[in-house]
Amino acid sequence: SLVQMRNSGEMILKMACQRLAMKGTSLFLANCNHSGILSKNSPTWGTHGNILIEVPPQQLPHQMLPFLASHSYTGSGGRTVDTGQWVGSTRFLFLESEQGGATTTGRALHSYARNEHLTRDPVANGYRYHTLWQDACRSHFSQLLQSGITALVLKAVIDNPDGIRLLPERSGDSKFHKFWLQAARTMNVLISDEDSLHVDSYVIELQRLYLQLIDQYIAKYPDSPEWTRQVAAIWETTLNKMEQGDIDWLSVRLDPWIKHRQYTEFLKMRGASWADEISDQYLTCELTALNQSYHNVSSENSLFDYMEERERIKHRVTDLVTPGEEAESFVPEVHTRAKTRARLLKQFQESR
């Protein structure tokens, strides 16, 4: 349902831009997490998320940090001009803390930002788990892995908090200071050559620990929604394909691999290579424009839509629905503006 809703949102944006175009106004909207050329000094915008959980996030850093640090392959992908490295997540480049932090300063991997009580009775109705690390992905496959797995892992570690025991423990020892933040930056770098991307083997090892925990959770609760089994199966297949180095499979489903293959083909058309891009500013600008086109959600002429129309990617995970036909949303009894916004959307969904 989340993937369907995100797609419906993009459809609404496209319709709005088409109506503006009919009145002579051209508008370009892209779900890109940074401004053009990717570097450590680029302005950045977050793709924030909220997950309703049963315990305060402050109880979960030990369980969640290893998972989050090794989960960047579900990002949108990009190449930094600072180092010439391919990364799985562009947003990871701008994180500053392991835990805590705020939305614009000290951004954390395991965030406590906006951690005010969503409900008048959080013990009964739940706590907000606010994510700052996510990328804006075009691939529905990436979206499912990014959000669906995170929600499942949260459920599993809350149900079995002793299921994950990984070093280093939180302690006063300075050698452990920001360990998982540094690990996240290291594992975010994809091993690249002219034709392919690969993840570090430690990424797969860590992620499989959490996959096992989810399998145990689903087995313990056989009445879990069907989507939980779908997400777990897709996750397992993805980890297997990364371990096998099945670039053809990855390059039609996950944003970083889709981008790398398409941008590599573009360079070859120009008679250039990735090594040339480091010293050729004009080539860098061309690739930046190509990336903006990939993330263009305001028209049917984006690079991503072009590839989908020609069946060069296979990223769909569910049937699409038009705006207003999505499944009924769960609206928790919160006392923030989110409740009013959700009620208004439901009340006036026929007035679009």
Side-chain angles (χ1 to χ4, degrees), residues 6-18 27-33 47 136-140 143 255 290-306 308 315:
R6 285 184 175 179
N7 187 78
S8 293
E10 290 183 7
M11 292 174 66
I12 292 172
L13 288 175
K14 288 178 181 178
M15 288 189 291
C17 289
Q18 289 169 1
L27 185 63
F28 180 97
L29 298 174
N31 69 341
C32 189
N33 290 99
T47 302
C137 298
R138 291 302 314 270
S139 163
H140 291 181
Q143 291 176 19
D255 281 306
L290 200 63
N291 189 69
Q292 290 294 99
S293 175
Y294 183 93
H295 284 278
N296 180 2
V297 295
S298 57
S299 77
E300 303 290 345
N301 300 320
S302 74
L303 172 61
F304 187 86
D305 292 325
Y306 174 89
E308 181 168 36
H315 73 108

Side-chain angles (χ1 to χ4, degrees), residues 251-315:
S251 296
V252 295
R253 289 174 174 84
L254 290 174
D255 281 306
W257 282 264
I258 294 173
K259 283 184 177 182
H260 185 270
R261 171 164 287 186
Q262 297 305 316
Y263 298 177
T264 299
E265 290 182 6
F266 172 80
L267 289 173
K268 290 179 178 179
M269 288 173 54
R270 288 285 191 269
S273 67
W274 285 110
D276 299 319
E277 187 262 346
I278 297 175
S279 57
D280 190 331
Q281 187 174 8
Y282 183 78
L283 201 58
T284 298
C285 291
E286 283 191 300
L287 288 169
T288 298
L290 200 63
N291 189 69
Q292 290 294 99
S293 175
Y294 183 93
H295 284 278
N296 180 2
V297 295
S298 57
S299 77
E300 303 290 345
N301 300 320
S302 74
L303 172 61
F304 187 86
D305 292 325
Y306 174 89
M307 290 187 292
E308 181 168 36
E309 182 180 339
R310 287 157 180 77
E311 299 183 347
R312 296 177 64 176
I313 52 178
K314 300 176 181 178
H315 73 108

Side-chain angles (χ1 to χ4, degrees), residues 33-34 38-40 42 44-47 64-78 80 86-98 106-110 129 131-136 146 150 179-190 203 206-207:
N33 290 99
H34 58 89
L38 180 60
S39 76
K40 62 183 179 181
S42 299
T44 179
W45 299 271
T47 302
M64 289 300 295
L65 280 170
F67 164 74
L68 296 172
S70 57
H71 196 52
S72 58
Y73 60 90
T74 64
S76 62
T80 68
W86 265 90
V87 294
S89 166
T90 61
R91 185 64 168 171
F92 267 42
L93 298 174
F94 305 101
L95 298 179
E96 303 166 301
S97 309
E98 270 193 357
R107 300 183 188 96
L109 190 59
H110 179 70
Y129 186 78
T131 59
L132 299 175
W133 55 266
Q134 291 177 301
D135 279 7
Q146 192 175 80
T150 304
F179 174 88
W180 286 113
L181 179 62
Q182 295 299 328
R185 291 169 176 166
T186 299
M187 290 186 281
N188 189 32
V189 177
L190 298 172
V203 169
L206 271 175
Q207 292 284 288

Side-chain angles (χ1 to χ4, degrees), residues 46-318:
T47 302
H48 295 207
N50 293 291
I51 301 173
L52 198 63
I53 60 176
E54 295 87 348
V55 301
Q58 288 88 339
Q59 293 184 16
L60 301 174
H62 179 74
Q63 291 86 355
M64 289 300 295
L65 280 170
F67 164 74
L68 296 172
S70 57
H71 196 52
S72 58
Y73 60 90
T74 64
S76 62
R79 180 179 166 93
T80 68
V81 296
D82 302 316
T83 63
Q85 294 174 319
W86 265 90
V87 294
S89 166
T90 61
R91 185 64 168 171
F92 267 42
L93 298 174
F94 305 101
L95 298 179
E96 303 166 301
S97 309
E98 270 193 357
Q99 56 182 299
T103 55
T104 57
T105 59
R107 300 183 188 96
L109 190 59
H110 179 70
S111 177
Y112 306 150
R114 296 183 178 174
N115 194 31
E116 71 278 5
H117 291 325
L118 279 177
T119 66
R120 299 189 187 280
D121 185 2
V123 175
N125 299 318
Y127 299 83
R128 183 209 302 249
Y129 186 78
H130 191 73
T131 59
L132 299 175
W133 55 266
Q134 291 177 301
D135 279 7
C137 298
R138 291 302 314 270
S139 163
H140 291 181
F141 207 91
S142 291
Q143 291 176 19
L144 182 72
L145 288 173
Q146 192 175 80
S147 298
I149 293 172
T150 304
L152 267 180
V153 166
L154 281 164
K155 294 293 289 185
V157 299
I158 290 171
D159 183 74
N160 182 12
D162 295 325
I164 294 293
R165 288 294 181 189
L166 295 172
L167 292 176
E169 297 283 350
R170 297 294 302 176
S171 73
D173 193 330
S174 61
K175 70 180 180 181
F176 290 151
H177 181 59
K178 292 188 176 181
F179 174 88
W180 286 113
L181 179 62
Q182 295 299 328
R185 291 169 176 166
T186 299
M187 290 186 281
N188 189 32
V189 177
L190 298 172
I191 305 166
S192 62
D193 53 39
E194 280 298 314
D195 298 308
S196 60
L197 295 175
H198 305 275
V199 299
D200 191 288
S201 60
Y202 194 48
V203 169
I204 299 172
E205 183 179 346
L206 271 175
Q207 292 284 288
R208 279 188 173 145
L209 290 174
Y210 286 91
L211 176 60
Q212 292 171 10
L213 195 65
I214 283 180
D215 287 340
Q216 293 166 9
Y217 176 83
I218 294 174
K220 182 179 178 180
Y221 300 101
D223 293 333
S224 298
E226 182 57 34
W227 71 264
T228 62
R229 294 171 181 79
Q230 179 191 17
V231 171
I234 289 176
W235 190 15
E236 181 176 18
T237 300
T238 301
L239 294 177
N240 290 340
K241 295 297 184 180
M242 289 195 298
E243 183 177 47
Q244 296 162 8
D246 192 338
I247 304 304
D248 289 335
W249 189 91
L250 295 166
S251 296
V252 295
R253 289 174 174 84
L254 290 174
D255 281 306
W257 282 264
I258 294 173
K259 283 184 177 182
H260 185 270
R261 171 164 287 186
Q262 297 305 316
Y263 298 177
T264 299
E265 290 182 6
F266 172 80
L267 289 173
K268 290 179 178 179
M269 288 173 54
R270 288 285 191 269
S273 67
W274 285 110
D276 299 319
E277 187 262 346
I278 297 175
S279 57
D280 190 331
Q281 187 174 8
Y282 183 78
L283 201 58
T284 298
C285 291
E286 283 191 300
L287 288 169
T288 298
L290 200 63
N291 189 69
Q292 290 294 99
S293 175
Y294 183 93
H295 284 278
N296 180 2
V297 295
S298 57
S299 77
E300 303 290 345
N301 300 320
S302 74
L303 172 61
F304 187 86
D305 292 325
Y306 174 89
M307 290 187 292
E308 181 168 36
E309 182 180 339
R310 287 157 180 77
E311 299 183 347
R312 296 177 64 176
I313 52 178
K314 300 176 181 178
H315 73 108
R316 298 290 187 189
V317 295
T318 186

